[in-house]
Amino acid sequence: MGDIDTCGCKVGRVTAKYGRGDVDEWLIEEWQDEMSIRSLTAEFNKEIIEEELTAVGASRLEWSKTPVYEALHTEELSEPETIEIRRELERAGVDVEQLSSDLVSHQTVYRHLRNCLATSGPDEKSAEERREQARNRIYALQQRASLVTESTVESMQTAGVTNVGDPEVLVDVRIVCRDCGRSMDLDEVLTGGCDCPPK
Ligand SMILES: [Zn+2]
Ligand SMILES: [Zn+2]
């Protein structure tokens, strides 16, 4: 413990405060493994939330860290939902203002990785390598979704809940641009996408 281990940026201060000085290694590993800074930041913030919920003794059953995170740090939830969650957190003994001000932005996480930990992101890959990797990743996911669905249907059949002759499951991935409404398959996205400017 002590100053030596803490870089002094917000990530360093927050991890020290919540007793999570062990996250640096994880951040570096996941980043190099191509997890996006956005997802890393969400995971990091959820860890902090979990520490706080544990510290005040809020039961895991009552609290799921994802909606708490969404209420405190994103605009995913509606205003009444956000207010409700914040109110319940306060009732559970959480200092909501403090906790939400301890959550970090993805710029902060990026700077912590680049500057404090002197890491660089995943090795530069060619566009074709990236496409290949993306296809493999999505394909594996489709396989898995299809297997899980198939075995679920089979167990429903065994239980007499449903009846399908010989079920084959097809998993189709579509990506829709929220701006222009164009619906694309993975390959269309990987080889160009729509004409909207990226966000
Ligand atoms: Zn730092
Ligand atoms: Zn578009």
Side-chain angles (χ1 to χ4, degrees):
M1 293 305 268
D3 299 340
I4 305 149
D5 297 322
T6 313
C7 57
C9 84
K10 189 176 177 187
V11 173
R13 277 183 278 122
V14 168
T15 48
K17 176 176 172 186
Y18 289 86
R20 290 308 306 268
D22 54 346
V23 297
D24 283 348
E25 207 171 304
W26 169 81
L27 283 172
I28 293 171
E29 230 166 70
E30 294 298 327
W31 193 30
Q32 286 175 345
D33 211 23
E34 308 227 319
M35 193 192 269
S36 69
I37 292 287
R38 190 174 288 271
S39 314
L40 277 174
T41 305
E43 290 306 310
F44 176 88
N45 283 327
K46 287 177 193 174
E47 288 294 315
I48 297 302
I49 289 167
E50 179 130 8
E51 290 297 327
E52 175 65 14
L53 293 178
T54 309
V56 300
S59 143
R60 287 261 175 92
L61 292 175
E62 280 173 65
W63 291 104
S64 158
K65 55 193 175 172
T66 299
V68 172
Y69 171 67
E70 287 173 347
L72 298 184
H73 203 67
T74 72
E75 276 156 21
E76 299 278 313
L77 303 180
S78 70
E79 180 121 15
E81 284 173 314
T82 301
I83 292 170
E84 180 61 21
I85 290 176
R86 293 178 76 105
R87 195 181 292 145
E88 284 182 38
L89 283 169
E90 266 157 25
R91 224 176 278 144
V94 174
D95 184 340
V96 177
E97 284 308 312
Q98 185 61 56
L99 177 59
S100 57
S101 76
D102 281 341
L103 301 182
V104 299
S105 68
H106 44 269
Q107 290 90 335
T108 305
V109 169
Y110 181 74
R111 281 195 301 266
H112 177 69
L113 279 161
R114 286 304 290 242
N115 305 339
C116 307
L117 303 177
T119 340
S120 49
D123 298 334
E124 283 305 315
K125 291 191 176 72
S126 71
E128 201 35 60
E129 280 175 313
R130 285 182 187 279
R131 284 190 196 106
E132 192 55 32
Q133 202 172 34
R135 280 188 197 103
N136 290 343
R137 187 176 297 172
I138 305 297
Y139 180 66
L141 193 70
Q142 283 174 292
Q143 286 289 97
R144 197 162 153 257
S146 141
L147 285 174
V148 171
T149 310
E150 202 172 307
S151 81
T152 305
V153 172
E154 272 165 16
S155 71
M156 300 283 275
Q157 274 180 313
T158 311
V161 178
T162 185
N163 181 42
V164 184
D166 182 12
E168 184 182 8
V169 179
L170 303 174
V171 179
D172 192 17
V173 172
R174 305 294 302 172
I175 297 108
V176 178
C177 171
R178 288 198 185 93
D179 291 330
C180 67
R182 180 165 165 190
S183 167
M184 296 161 274
D185 65 23
L186 183 65
D187 247 42
E188 285 175 273
V189 168
L190 293 178
T191 54
C194 65
D195 296 323
C196 298
K199 291 216 160 130

